[in-house]
Amino acid sequence: MNTRISSLTQLSASQLVVIDMQEKLGLAMQPEAFELVTHNIQRLLQAAQLLALPVIITEQYAKGLGNTLAALQPFCAQAATIDKMTFSACATPKFNQQLHRDLPQVILTGMETHICVLQTALDLLAHHKQVFVVEDAVISREPANKANALARLRDAGCLITNTESVLFECLGSAEHAQFKAIAKLIK
């Protein structure tokens, strides 16, 4: 029996993971696409704060690649930040310690889609998590690599979604107490 759901309306079941959104890695990305992804991750982090969703931030070799983008820092105060050397965050014990085992859904964002996001998502699936990859909040240096990774992730069982869908699915209704605050993030 498949008990997985394809919606994020169960807020108490979700957590947000931001993979390797670091200064030096960002320099290798196409600037316009990187700006859009950064903006979308900002909105998701703000929504996570408003909705009290747990957040995990990973940094790939922070000593060499720098810390999480300054533009995201104001929204990361409550997040657990994990330095890693592995491509899959799941291969880092500290990540697994922060990952809420009782929350079956993971909203996944970050870079690069075809490396760290892909490997993390596949491992999360293997750990019986339902993975929502936010298409407009992930990036690769080459758009073709991102497209290939998203196709692989969809085929593997991830749900490919977008920022606005995540925001409104988390609310479920315009009657939600945070509806007005979340709606402002869209404008």
Side-chain angles (χ1 to χ4, degrees):
M1 179 173 136
N2 187 354
T3 59
R4 300 231 179 227
I5 57 175
S6 59
S7 175
L8 287 163
T9 55
Q10 293 183 343
L11 275 183
S12 60
S14 303
Q15 54 199 309
L16 175 64
V17 175
V18 179
I19 302 288
D20 307 343
M21 287 296 293
Q22 295 163 258
E23 301 285 347
K24 288 184 182 176
L25 285 175
L27 296 174
M29 304 299 140
Q30 296 177 359
E32 188 175 299
F34 186 65
E35 184 178 321
L36 176 64
V37 166
T38 301
H39 176 68
N40 287 332
I41 293 174
Q42 285 174 328
R43 295 190 301 169
L44 290 165
L45 286 167
Q46 288 175 294
Q49 285 180 337
L50 291 166
L51 301 170
L53 293 179
V55 177
I56 303 173
I57 308 287
T58 68
E59 295 176 342
Q60 181 73 28
Y61 182 54
K63 182 179 176 183
L65 297 175
N67 295 108
T68 298
L69 295 170
L72 300 179
Q73 290 289 340
F75 314 110
C76 298
Q78 302 300 316
T81 301
I82 309 297
D83 188 25
K84 66 183 184 64
M85 293 294 289
T86 61
F87 299 125
S88 170
C90 295
T92 300
K94 287 183 182 179
F95 177 83
N96 292 316
Q97 291 166 0
Q98 291 298 319
L99 191 65
H100 291 257
R101 297 199 191 300
D102 58 333
L103 301 179
Q105 298 178 328
V106 177
I107 304 164
L108 197 55
T109 68
M111 64 182 167
E112 285 195 65
T113 313
H114 66 293
I115 303 171
C116 295
V117 173
L118 174 76
Q119 291 184 36
T120 299
L122 294 174
D123 282 351
L124 288 168
L125 289 171
H127 288 98
H128 309 291
K129 296 291 187 185
Q130 184 177 36
V131 181
F132 292 79
V133 178
V134 187
E135 183 172 15
D136 58 357
V138 294
I139 191 169
S140 292
R141 286 166 286 153
E142 296 295 329
N145 290 341
K146 175 182 171 178
N148 174 263
L150 290 172
R152 285 186 63 197
L153 289 165
R154 183 178 280 115
D155 288 347
C158 292
L159 295 163
I160 309 303
T161 188
N162 61 74
T163 299
E164 287 193 27
S165 290
V166 169
L167 295 176
F168 285 102
E169 281 183 63
C170 285
L171 291 173
S173 165
E175 295 174 331
H176 192 284
Q178 294 295 346
F179 173 75
K180 288 184 181 181
I182 299 292
K184 287 180 184 177
L185 298 175
I186 303 301
K187 296 179 181 181

